[in-house]
Amino acid sequence: MLGVAACAVAEQSPSPPPPASQAVPAGPALPPRPVELRLDGVDPCSLVTVAQRRQLGVNQGQAARGSESSALRGNSCVWSNIPDSPDNAWSGRLVLGQGAEYALGREPIRTVDGFAATTTGSMGSDPAYYCLMLVDVASGQSLVASYDNGSKDYPGMNHKLACDKAQQLASDMLSTLRTIKQR
């Protein structure tokens, strides 16, 4: 039956395109980035300076190698204030095979130093104490900054505050990345 309908449609003369007001809108899109900052060859732990670590109140970052076989390939770094309380842990990851549009539509788009950023949670984490932010830094690449209060001991913590903390890390990392790329 479908084959017959397809043949009948094919024999008809082409109809004019619908007026613009009837066009089906594309899904949400990220606004243009101010500059493209490629992440290839960058060490994520180098993106938070000693002064920035002092301001965040965290220890030196601990590097972690990422998978090379998935779209989310890229290395990461974790900074924390452990054993202090309340516990604060930030993670930065360089995603070399997936843009920030991956998380579009989950939460409103934020802006970090002129770059669009999407936020989302993570399976197994409590969104009231955790936020993951993907910053659109280059085509097909994103800078990930996350915040986690795993012990749930931060007074007044909520998802917005966790995302604000992730955004601070993203801003610090972007600032350093811009400096590195200008050399």
Side-chain angles (χ1 to χ4, degrees):
M1 191 74 164
L2 288 176
V4 172
C7 289
V9 170
E11 290 176 12
Q12 295 176 358
S13 62
S15 60
S21 63
Q22 291 180 2
V24 177
L30 294 172
R33 60 187 82 80
V35 64
E36 183 156 299
L37 297 172
R38 303 290 303 170
L39 300 172
D40 308 279
V42 175
D43 171 12
C45 289
S46 72
L47 295 180
V48 177
T49 66
V50 172
Q52 291 165 335
R53 284 197 328 258
R54 263 191 240 119
Q55 187 176 14
L56 292 171
V58 295
N59 303 315
Q60 184 171 350
Q62 300 298 311
R65 292 200 44 87
S67 167
E68 292 300 316
S69 61
S70 77
L72 299 177
R73 71 184 186 280
N75 296 329
S76 61
C77 191
V78 177
W79 301 270
S80 75
N81 69 336
I82 296 174
D84 293 346
S85 182
D87 77 338
N88 292 295
W90 282 268
S91 175
R93 182 176 180 147
L94 310 179
V95 178
L96 304 178
Q98 180 71 57
E101 65 276 355
Y102 169 76
L104 262 175
R106 292 189 172 100
E107 296 182 25
I109 294 175
R110 288 181 176 230
T111 302
V112 182
D113 301 337
F115 291 86
T118 57
T119 55
T120 187
S122 180
M123 284 182 68
S125 62
D126 184 338
Y129 295 89
Y130 178 85
C131 181
L132 184 130
M133 179 171 291
L134 294 94
V135 182
D136 180 43
V137 294
S139 179
Q141 295 187 345
S142 53
L143 177 72
V144 176
S146 67
Y147 170 80
D148 187 16
N149 175 235
S151 296
K152 300 179 180 179
D153 61 351
Y154 194 108
M157 181 54 65
N158 57 48
H159 187 65
K160 181 190 177 314
L161 181 55
C163 286
D164 290 347
K165 289 181 168 292
Q167 186 165 341
Q168 179 59 52
L169 175 66
S171 180
D172 288 348
M173 293 174 74
L174 277 172
S175 174
T176 306
L177 182 60
R178 281 181 183 225
T179 301
I180 290 171
K181 292 297 180 174
Q182 289 176 356
R183 291 182 198 161

